[in-house]
Amino acid sequence: MAQIFSRRASTSFRVFLVLVPMGLALSGGLAFVWARSDAFWSVGEPEPQPIPFRHSLHSGDLKIDCRYCHTSVERAAHAGMPSAQTCMSCHGQLLAGESALEPIRSSLALGEPIRWTSVSRLPDHVVFHHAAHVTKGVACETCHGRVDQMPRTVKAQTLSMGWCLDCHRDPAPRLRPRDAVLAFGWVGTAPSMSEDVRRAHAAAAPRLTSCNTCHR
Amino acid sequence: MMDRPSPSPDLAALLTRLARETGPRLWRSLEEAADAPEARRLLEAEFPDLASVGAIDRRTWIRLMGASLAAAGLAACDTNDPAQSRPLLSQAGSTPGYTPGVGLTLATSLERDGTGCGVLVTAQEGRPIKVEGNPLHPATRGASDPFLQAEVLTLNDPSRSTHPAERGEARSWADMRAVLRQLRTEAVADGGTGLHLVLPPVASPTLERLAAAARELLPRARWHAYAPILDDQRIAGARLAFGRPLDLVYDLAAADTIVCLGGDLFSTEPGHIRYAADFQARRRTPDRPLPMLVAVEAGLSLVGARADERVVVRPREMEAFVRALAATLGIAGEPPGEAHPAAARIAARLRATGGHGLVTVGREQPAVVHALAAAVNERLGAFGQTVRAIEPVLPAVEGIASITSLADAVAAGTATRVLILGGNPVYDAPADLELASLIRRLPASLHVGCVQDETAACCRWHVPRPHAFESFGDLRAFDGTVGFSQPATVRAAPSLGPEEFLSLLCGLGGQARDVLAQTWRDRWADRFEERFDRALEDGVVPGTASDPVAARVLEQAPRSAPQSTGPGALDIAFVPDPATWDGRYANNGWLQELPRPLSKQVWGNAAMIAPETAARFGLRSQDVVEIASGGRVLSAPVWVQPGHAPDTLTLPLGYGRSRAGALGNGVGFDAYRLRTAEAPWLATGDLRPLGRRERLITTQQHHAMHGRDLVRTVAEDPRPAQQPGEPSPSFYPEKAGQGHAWGMAIDLDACIGCNACVVACQAENNVPVVGPDEAARGREMHWLRIDRYHAGDPSAPKTYFQPVPCMHCETAPCEVVCPVNATVHSSEGLNDMVYNRCIGTRTCSNNCPYKVRRFNFHDNRTGPFSAAGSVLNPQVTARPRGVMEKCTYCIQRIAAARIEARIEDRPVADGEVVTACQQACPTRAISFGDIASEDSAVARQRRSARGYALLGDLNTKPRTTYLARIEPQAPAPGGDPAKDGE
């Protein structure tokens, strides 16, 4: 009877034994890194939008307050998107005939909403409340980045659960005084935050990291 | 169930067995009382139906497991594609007062039996998702009942009609306008000769105004008012007693002795929510002795279950009973031959109570009982104290006479055009009128309704009607208070309400709001706009409650009524169903799957029969019998109902519909087929077993708990029901509590078992409907169930209700067995369920001693029974297949209150978090809050001497605790049952 295995079979098998676990470990490692990379979470990737809106112009150069458009950010879960009427309060005069603004005019005329593509999308199964964060000293910039420097709005952070938990486990270092929440490029620590306030924040961590804080 | 028929519970053996019992013994079903193997199987298996899946071989099992594993990997993938995500929407214009994502709450009124119940509707992005009672409205006072809670599902019923139709074929509105125009022109030309209009009795000032205008325009038109839940005998009774129709409104908060003669003051009579609330408020009054509630009835009702004394009386003997009661109190009239032994005792009790006594009568009782009760109330001096007479809220039209005259007119050929502006008379009118064939024969008939129902099928034309949440209107409550209704959403399709229809008929035209405004502009000359807007905002018009009128009972009145008994051996009583009412809710999945309070039946009805009568006929539950009455026959399955009157069948109306919609068609049997104009509430007949069985689905055995002492009672003095002792040692790690400690206390003394909380929980938490087959397997998904226990003699048992939500145990047995940490403890003591971690091993459910965890065996979000997406609460995750779920203490409401408080930089106040079940409860049986705070309402309840933990000896340290029921006579359930029934 002929040999079933050739002379090199043992060697091949040994190489196989080494390579396969290495390959698995490598792909596992790559997957680990990839899942944490900005590219995986689409950070910095602009999306097609119906109107070439520039935050860098409106918020950065013109210094329009965030709340002029995102009206409910201090009151409700949703920050609120400006209605076409809000846009037209300026653009009724400015660039009134511009073709890029056509979606706004037709929205007003037809009573149809404008459909923007969300860039700061949270994963499924999670709830987020803007007002709860903004009123407690979490700045717009902390999650949305330097919107005032974005010609095209992009996601600034991964918004992954790990990223949220980084802050929920120890919020104090990232909090700002209430009047600096809307500021961009704000530097410095909260001078008003005394040690006991800091401790109170740290003590809130168990509540902030309870599952039901974000998942209901 | 049908494959493994349970042995019939042998009544004699059961009685001997119960006689031997010494301690308190509660039983859920007769099978359990007899300790039948069937009941034992359901108690011992966590998922009883899974045992039957055992026929699977090893290879198939491995194949399935492999496929599941691969599929689980796929299911975990997320495309993360922004194009597929929900877009961000910019509205065209800003709407003042509306913030996207924040629900809008509006006050409106819903109609039941013609009177209004004030509710608050919360609409999310224009979609009504939740109903609560309106605290300003006298009929609800902030509480609700299952029907009010389920109304949002009816609004989203996919079977609702969307377009006009002629002989069942779709027509355009242009065609329909032409038809209406021609109808109107013809009618105006001849003054309405041959025109008959049918409108269910509705206490609406606007409809009354329009009807009056139409009468003026069409003087020869005939008007008919009919609804199947008739008040005819109440009206006739008032005529007998007072000489004219009057409504009686009770004040249970002032009553010391309440005697209910039939009816169900807590679920079927007008004002039932208010009466239940007032009764419990009276029980809570600290410095007065507990009131005495006596129920005299045939079938077991909610009042009967709560009553201190329940007297079982066959319907045909009720009149004799009341005559005896009245005679003992010295009211002239011929006393019956042999008096019921309880009558004299109750009369003595009433006499001792005097003006704080109260006798109430159900609408199904004969007129003479109403008249006698009025005389008794007058003799007691109750008028002005516990009862007041007001001018009738509803037009005093006797429905049977009215609908009979319509049938006669059609048969005689004098009616040529019939407009049915509401209701479903073809389905629910007395069967002997044969209305279906009569209406079919008409050349011109028109039906206005939400659904193309049985009546629409017989009429030539059908016009869709808007739902109450889509239209303007006004409704008077049981006490006369006017409540406004207003739309909470835009109409799903163009439609025409009865107000608009009549307005068009009168040539007044106008939008629904203008039609309503016109009524009130006539009444409010000054400051109209201000008052109108205020009434729309509040939902009620202040100061419109009817003033009491002087009512004197006529001297000779109660004597004049012949005693009539039909030829049959059995009494047949018709009752509105606790889930479908008169049939109008037959297509509502929440209600169909709602365990009926006493039988715990779902998805169907059954003829209720007493255990001893069933034994005499050799019947057990699910046996089909043929019921013959007045030459009509009907086959129906029977349900052996402990506490039911002997030789009596109770037939719930509202089933066996053929055109209710996809869910309601063909469910149950249609008891209207036996109902005649002569005997609308009480017939006599005979039954014959057919020797076959039909599956009845009941949840009474599902989710059974091992252990005794589940329901506790205390005597009148609140001695401790549970000795507070040293905390037992525990192997569970000590959890450091922080901040709030949420807890719930449920007062079993207050719970009347009305089911409002169950539907409220379902609506709030997106609890799915699983359908009859799955429910039969014990897979119903209710997060909150109400366990109903009986104790004592099956012919006159005591009845206890116990709502069981998740206990949120501090040492939760479910948490330690989860392999993936999907159920964990929060810092505030909640037992959280993390849906996206759950892999569906169901171990947690197996380890839960309270049986409160529910598993999604199927994807219940999309299925034949699922609610429309637009009725889902966006604050609560809709759970996918393969995931365990359970009560969360309405975590979304806790979070909302917490966020609100934190935005305003203050602590969460006591009473700020209100769970859905708590908010719906008419008797305020549920309190919720922070048990760590000394003076919170729930902490006070927990400290009560009546407080106890369910299965406390398991040391699970539940956050949900109970308060024992106060039972003056018997110290424990299973004491001596009332023997008055025989």
Side-chain angles (χ1 to χ4, degrees):
Chain A
M1 203 176 91
Q3 290 282 341
I4 297 173
F5 296 104
S6 72
R7 190 180 294 272
R8 286 180 307 167
S10 301
T11 322
S12 310
F13 185 63
R14 284 193 190 104
V15 171
F16 176 82
L17 273 187
V18 174
L19 283 185
V20 165
M22 272 176 66
L24 281 176
L26 190 68
S27 48
L30 280 176
F32 185 85
V33 173
W34 167 240
R36 277 153 186 76
S37 70
D38 285 355
F40 177 81
W41 293 95
S42 312
V43 173
E45 288 173 20
E47 293 294 337
Q49 302 289 4
I51 301 163
F53 177 83
R54 280 191 293 160
H55 269 108
S56 60
L57 173 67
H58 292 82
S59 177
D61 299 345
L62 300 173
K63 306 248 176 294
I64 298 173
D65 194 298
C66 304
R67 295 166 296 183
Y68 185 79
C69 299
H70 304 294
T71 49
S72 56
V73 72
E74 289 176 315
R75 295 182 283 117
H78 297 278
M81 290 293 283
S83 67
Q85 213 177 335
T86 309
C87 301
M88 290 308 267
S89 54
C90 295
H91 286 295
Q93 275 96 42
L94 285 169
L95 308 172
E98 192 69 36
S99 62
L101 301 182
E102 186 50 38
I104 302 178
R105 289 190 294 270
S106 53
S107 163
L108 257 188
L110 302 173
E112 291 284 323
I114 307 169
R115 304 170 80 86
W116 303 87
T117 309
S118 170
V119 292
S120 300
R121 181 196 171 214
L122 284 171
D124 287 344
H125 297 287
V126 64
V127 289
F128 179 83
H129 200 288
H130 271 96
H133 289 82
V134 169
T135 55
K136 289 294 138 190
V138 180
C140 306
E141 187 187 348
T142 308
C143 307
H144 295 292
R146 290 302 297 266
V147 170
D148 62 325
Q149 294 173 357
M150 288 181 193
R152 295 185 71 184
T153 312
V154 293
K155 199 178 184 184
Q157 303 288 350
T158 61
L159 307 186
S160 65
M161 180 164 154
W163 179 82
C164 291
L165 277 172
D166 284 347
C167 195
H168 272 214
R169 286 189 179 120
D170 183 17
R174 292 173 183 83
L175 297 183
R176 295 186 186 182
R178 186 70 180 79
D179 52 10
V181 161
L182 299 165
F184 287 102
W186 183 81
V187 281
T189 51
S192 59
M193 202 183 280
S194 63
E195 196 50 42
D196 51 332
V197 175
R198 209 173 280 278
R199 255 200 316 269
H201 277 298
R207 181 170 57 71
L208 289 178
T209 53
S210 281
C211 301
N212 71 42
T213 305
C214 311
H215 308 282
R216 284 163 210 152
Chain B
M1 288 272 284
M2 295 316 300
D3 309 333
R4 299 181 294 268
S6 61
S8 165
D10 177 1
L11 194 68
L14 171 58
L15 286 173
T16 9
R17 191 190 159 80
L18 286 172
R20 277 205 308 273
E21 296 275 342
T22 48
R25 178 175 155 84
L26 299 169
W27 40 273
R28 288 178 157 207
S29 65
L30 291 166
E31 287 82 1
E32 188 186 328
D35 207 20
E38 172 79 356
R40 199 146 264 285
R41 190 180 67 86
L42 285 159
L43 180 67
E44 281 166 3
E46 170 65 19
F47 299 103
D49 59 302
L50 284 186
S52 61
V53 194
I56 206 164
D57 65 26
R58 188 181 59 93
R59 282 179 178 241
T60 316
W61 188 81
I62 289 174
R63 239 181 257 136
L64 285 173
M65 287 306 284
S68 309
L69 196 66
L74 282 177
C77 295
D78 179 1
T79 58
N80 208 24
D81 179 5
Q84 285 187 10
S85 74
R86 293 171 295 276
L88 283 173
L89 295 181
S90 278
Q91 287 180 288
S94 319
T95 315
Y98 164 67
T99 309
V102 179
L104 264 185
T105 301
L106 293 166
T108 184
S109 288
L110 289 170
E111 178 246 321
R112 170 97 43 82
D113 300 334
T115 62
C117 294
V119 294
L120 301 177
V121 193
T122 302
Q124 187 85 36
E125 267 64 59
R127 297 177 182 132
I129 55 164
K130 188 75 177 66
V131 177
E132 305 291 358
N134 182 352
L136 299 176
H137 196 275
T140 54
R141 288 283 175 86
S144 48
D145 70 6
F147 301 116
L148 300 180
Q149 288 289 344
E151 201 64 56
V152 283
L153 198 61
T154 299
L155 170 72
N156 287 283
D157 186 349
S159 306
R160 275 183 58 195
S161 99
T162 52
H163 48 73
E166 180 175 358
R167 298 267 177 241
E169 280 175 38
R171 289 281 177 270
S172 72
W173 272 101
D175 297 344
M176 188 44 67
R177 267 195 297 274
V179 168
L180 294 178
R181 203 172 293 128
Q182 197 193 341
L183 267 177
R184 179 173 188 275
T185 319
E186 285 174 14
V188 172
D190 58 15
T193 312
L195 179 68
H196 288 247
L197 293 108
V198 185
L199 189 66
V202 183
S204 160
T206 296
L207 274 177
E208 281 158 23
R209 171 178 73 84
L210 292 167
R215 278 199 173 93
E216 207 162 292
L217 183 72
L218 310 167
R220 285 194 286 281
R222 290 285 158 270
W223 293 73
H224 306 273
Y226 174 77
I229 309 305
L230 300 157
D231 273 330
D232 288 18
Q233 293 170 174
R234 195 189 307 259
I235 297 169
R239 286 219 172 93
L240 267 183
F242 308 112
R244 65 188 177 118
L246 287 175
D247 279 1
L248 298 181
V249 177
Y250 313 124
D251 183 4
L252 266 61
D256 289 342
T257 301
I258 305 146
V259 178
C260 299
L261 305 171
D264 190 341
L265 210 51
F266 294 165
S267 74
T268 64
E269 295 292 297
H272 60 285
I273 300 174
R274 176 69 181 279
Y275 290 151
D278 283 353
F279 173 70
Q280 195 55 34
R282 169 68 187 81
R283 278 184 81 83
R284 290 206 180 97
T285 316
D287 41 0
R288 283 169 71 185
L290 285 178
M292 169 103 177
L293 178 65
V294 181
V296 184
E297 60 183 11
L300 188 54
S301 73
L302 294 188
V303 160
R306 187 67 197 82
D308 300 284
E309 182 176 348
R310 181 165 176 269
V311 183
V312 183
V313 168
R314 282 184 68 186
R316 67 171 66 169
E317 289 162 4
M318 180 65 95
E319 191 180 323
F321 182 92
V322 182
R323 279 188 190 283
L325 183 79
T328 317
L329 286 167
I331 291 160
E334 57 185 280
E338 68 182 283
H340 194 285
R345 185 155 36 86
I346 293 168
R349 172 96 199 187
L350 276 173
R351 187 187 289 127
T353 318
H356 289 291
L358 171 64
V359 179
T360 74
V361 186
R363 57 161 74 84
E364 79 286 359
Q365 296 301 329
V368 66
V369 170
H370 287 273
L372 281 166
V376 169
N377 277 331
E378 188 180 58
R379 175 59 54 98
L380 296 173
F383 279 98
Q385 298 211 57
T386 59
V387 59
R388 60 179 198 272
I390 58 171
E391 290 299 334
V393 172
L394 283 166
V397 179
E398 293 181 30
I400 289 285
S402 185
I403 199 78
T404 308
S405 70
L406 173 71
D408 292 346
V410 179
T414 54
T416 51
R417 285 161 291 173
V418 173
L419 309 182
I420 299 169
L421 303 186
N424 188 2
V426 167
Y427 166 70
D428 57 29
D432 52 344
L433 299 184
E434 305 290 352
L435 217 51
S437 58
L438 287 176
I439 288 182
R440 253 198 214 101
R441 171 193 309 173
L442 284 166
S445 55
L446 183 139
H447 170 249
V448 180
C450 282
V451 186
Q452 290 206 31
D453 53 20
E454 292 83 349
T455 305
C458 292
C459 288
R460 180 162 175 196
W461 294 293
H462 165 78
V463 178
R465 171 193 176 144
H467 185 269
F469 288 156
E470 298 172 335
S471 47
F472 280 97
D474 46 12
L475 281 169
R476 298 174 71 203
F478 73 108
D479 69 346
T481 305
V482 176
F484 278 8
S485 40
Q486 60 181 318
T489 182
V490 292
R491 295 191 180 183
S495 49
L496 210 55
E499 291 92 347
E500 293 152 296
F501 190 95
L502 284 179
S503 188
L504 284 177
L505 191 68
C506 299
L508 301 170
Q511 298 291 309
R513 189 182 193 276
D514 304 330
V515 174
L516 171 67
Q518 191 52 49
T519 310
W520 294 90
R521 193 171 278 126
D522 297 345
R523 303 185 184 202
W524 294 333
D526 61 325
R527 298 187 297 121
F528 166 74
E529 290 297 335
E530 183 192 333
R531 293 173 76 175
F532 189 73
D533 289 346
R534 186 64 202 263
L536 276 179
E537 192 176 331
D538 291 347
V540 290
V541 183
T544 44
S546 303
D547 292 324
V549 296
R552 276 213 47 79
V553 176
L554 304 178
E555 205 51 39
Q556 80 290 4
R559 257 173 271 168
S560 57
Q563 177 129 15
S564 63
T565 310
L570 295 176
D571 288 359
I572 298 173
F574 300 96
V575 292
D577 186 78
T580 64
W581 197 240
D582 56 7
R584 65 170 81 175
Y585 295 108
N587 207 43
N588 190 310
W590 290 351
L591 291 170
Q592 282 283 9
E593 199 160 295
L594 178 67
R596 317 296 182 255
L598 293 148
S599 65
K600 294 287 152 193
Q601 195 189 349
V602 296
W603 291 100
N605 60 343
M608 301 292 169
I609 189 167
E612 55 265 44
T613 314
R616 190 151 55 75
F617 283 98
L619 293 169
R620 46 197 176 130
S621 291
Q622 312 195 32
D623 282 347
V624 180
V625 297
E626 190 180 77
I627 307 164
S629 169
R632 295 168 182 279
V633 288
L634 175 72
S635 62
V638 297
W639 182 258
V640 180
Q641 173 69 57
H644 199 275
D647 300 319
T648 305
L649 283 171
T650 299
L651 305 183
L653 302 166
Y655 288 87
R657 292 199 52 186
S658 55
R659 283 173 172 267
L663 298 193
N665 285 347
V667 176
F669 64 88
D670 181 4
Y672 285 113
R673 296 304 104 217
L674 280 190
R675 208 181 185 212
T676 58
E678 199 168 316
W681 289 113
L682 174 64
T684 62
D686 297 289
L687 74 76
R688 184 169 66 85
L690 288 181
R692 60 187 168 89
R693 286 162 72 72
E694 190 177 311
R695 178 179 74 167
L696 297 180
I697 306 160
T698 170
T699 65
Q700 70 175 348
Q701 299 274 31
H702 299 167
H703 311 300
M705 291 182 283
H706 270 292
R708 290 200 154 198
D709 229 6
L710 302 175
V711 175
R712 296 190 190 176
T713 56
V714 292
E716 198 153 355
D717 55 325
R719 62 175 170 78
Q722 185 188 36
Q723 299 301 330
E726 288 289 301
S728 320
S730 175
F731 285 120
Y732 284 76
E734 196 67 30
K735 289 197 184 79
Q738 191 213 14
H740 298 288
W742 303 113
M744 180 181 279
I746 301 176
D747 188 351
L748 298 185
D749 190 54
C751 180
I752 55 168
C754 71
N755 270 340
C757 52
V758 179
V759 190
C761 173
Q762 187 152 27
E764 171 76 16
N765 291 304
N766 302 338
V767 173
V769 177
V770 297
D773 293 330
E774 290 293 292
R777 295 191 177 106
R779 292 174 177 181
E780 67 274 7
M781 299 297 289
H782 296 129
W783 286 4
L784 170 63
R785 68 173 194 267
I786 298 183
D787 285 341
R788 187 267 299 117
Y789 294 98
H790 291 304
D793 181 359
S795 61
K798 286 183 170 297
T799 309
Y800 302 91
F801 295 107
Q802 183 172 44
V804 186
C806 174
M807 297 287 132
H808 290 270
C809 311
E810 284 171 16
T811 55
C814 52
E815 289 173 7
V816 288
V817 296
C818 180
V820 292
N821 244 9
T823 183
V824 292
H825 231 67
S826 86
S827 63
E828 293 179 343
L830 300 182
N831 173 235
D832 286 344
M833 186 65 221
V834 189
Y835 305 122
N836 41 341
R837 277 183 185 168
C838 180
I839 56 168
T841 65
R842 308 196 292 274
T843 326
C844 51
S845 182
N846 213 22
N847 218 33
C848 173
Y850 305 101
K851 301 295 152 225
V852 293
R853 291 184 155 261
R854 303 286 177 267
F855 186 68
N856 286 280
F857 282 90
H858 298 279
D859 192 343
N860 290 317
R861 298 169 300 179
T862 54
F865 305 103
S866 313
S870 50
V871 78
L872 295 184
N873 182 355
Q875 309 300 329
V876 179
T877 311
R879 282 78 58 185
R881 185 176 69 95
V883 165
M884 194 56 87
E885 60 182 67
K886 53 144 207 113
C887 159
T888 63
Y889 270 173
C890 285
I891 178 67
Q892 67 282 2
R893 292 190 175 207
I894 299 176
R898 179 170 59 209
I899 288 168
E900 188 77 7
R902 290 191 67 73
I903 290 173
E904 291 167 17
D905 237 339
R906 57 176 174 81
V908 178
D910 183 35
E912 208 173 331
V913 183
V914 181
T915 64
C917 50
Q918 178 188 10
Q919 190 163 7
C921 182
T923 57
R924 302 277 170 263
I926 300 174
S927 41
F928 182 83
D930 186 354
I931 58 170
S933 155
E934 277 291 296
D935 42 63
S936 68
V938 66
R940 280 199 303 275
Q941 292 277 59
R942 279 172 78 96
R943 283 199 302 271
S944 154
R946 292 193 283 130
Y948 73 96
L950 190 62
L951 304 179
D953 51 345
L954 298 179
N955 204 22
T956 51
K957 300 180 184 158
R959 280 281 172 89
T960 306
T961 54
Y962 292 86
L963 275 80
R965 178 153 144 176
I966 305 172
E967 212 163 55
Q969 292 101 348
D976 67 316
K979 292 276 194 285
D980 298 318
E982 312 312 318

